[in-house]
Amino acid sequence: MRALPLCLLALSLTGCSLLHKPYKPIPAPEPKPTPVESHPRPTARPVPVKLYTDMNELVSNPFRDLGEVSGEDCQVSRQDSPANINTARKRMQIRASYMKANAVLLHKCEVLSESQGCYRHAVCQGTALKVSGK
């Protein structure tokens, strides 16, 4: 009597396995052909910006004022590399190039101690200019 439920269970399990349908993989969608460029595109680079430190250098050239620009470099903790004025100056020139300027008149650069979020903070400020050549 005990074997009868086991036989019925085994028979029912084999009956379910007979209903199994064969597996058909779903085909992957066809990849779209990408156009192949013969020449790689050049990367957009900022235009070189000349740095003027003295207003007298600009007297002989006509120029247009495009606005104030600044650049900064932050030393977050004592273990980080120190804040660098050259890096702040370069970032100021890059921001000026995004404004379509070709020159910057430097007003001031300074290193501040214990500014908000920085152990030391180098800041440069200037004016973006569009200088016309002769």
Side-chain angles (χ1 to χ4, degrees):
M1 236 358 168
R2 290 184 181 164
L4 183 63
L6 288 176
C7 290
L8 288 175
L9 179 66
L11 185 62
S12 67
L13 289 177
T14 56
C16 291
S17 67
L18 294 176
L19 297 176
H20 178 66
K21 295 181 182 177
Y23 171 72
K24 289 184 183 177
I26 299 173
E30 292 288 325
K32 295 180 182 178
T34 57
V36 177
E37 293 183 18
S38 60
H39 302 288
R41 291 185 179 177
T43 58
R45 294 186 181 159
V47 177
V49 175
K50 186 172 180 179
L51 187 67
Y52 291 99
T53 56
D54 188 16
M55 185 67 172
N56 294 330
E57 297 175 40
L58 290 167
V59 172
S60 61
N61 296 330
F63 62 90
R64 195 175 82 190
D65 185 342
L66 299 177
E68 295 289 318
V69 287
S70 65
E72 53 190 45
D73 189 23
C74 177
Q75 178 184 0
V76 178
S77 67
R78 281 186 169 182
Q79 289 78 26
D80 292 341
S81 61
N84 191 342
I85 287 181
N86 291 333
T87 304
R89 189 179 302 133
K90 182 59 89 178
R91 288 178 181 167
M92 178 183 63
Q93 289 174 297
I94 291 170
R95 285 187 181 144
S97 74
Y98 290 139
M99 296 170 68
K100 307 293 186 216
N102 60 2
V104 172
L105 177 60
L106 181 65
H107 298 302
K108 66 177 180 176
C109 282
E110 60 186 352
V111 176
L112 307 171
S113 297
E114 301 294 330
S115 66
Q116 184 177 2
C118 297
Y119 177 71
R120 285 216 169 89
H121 196 188
V123 179
C124 287
Q125 295 176 336
T127 303
L129 304 172
K130 183 75 169 180
V131 178
S132 303
K134 291 184 178 179

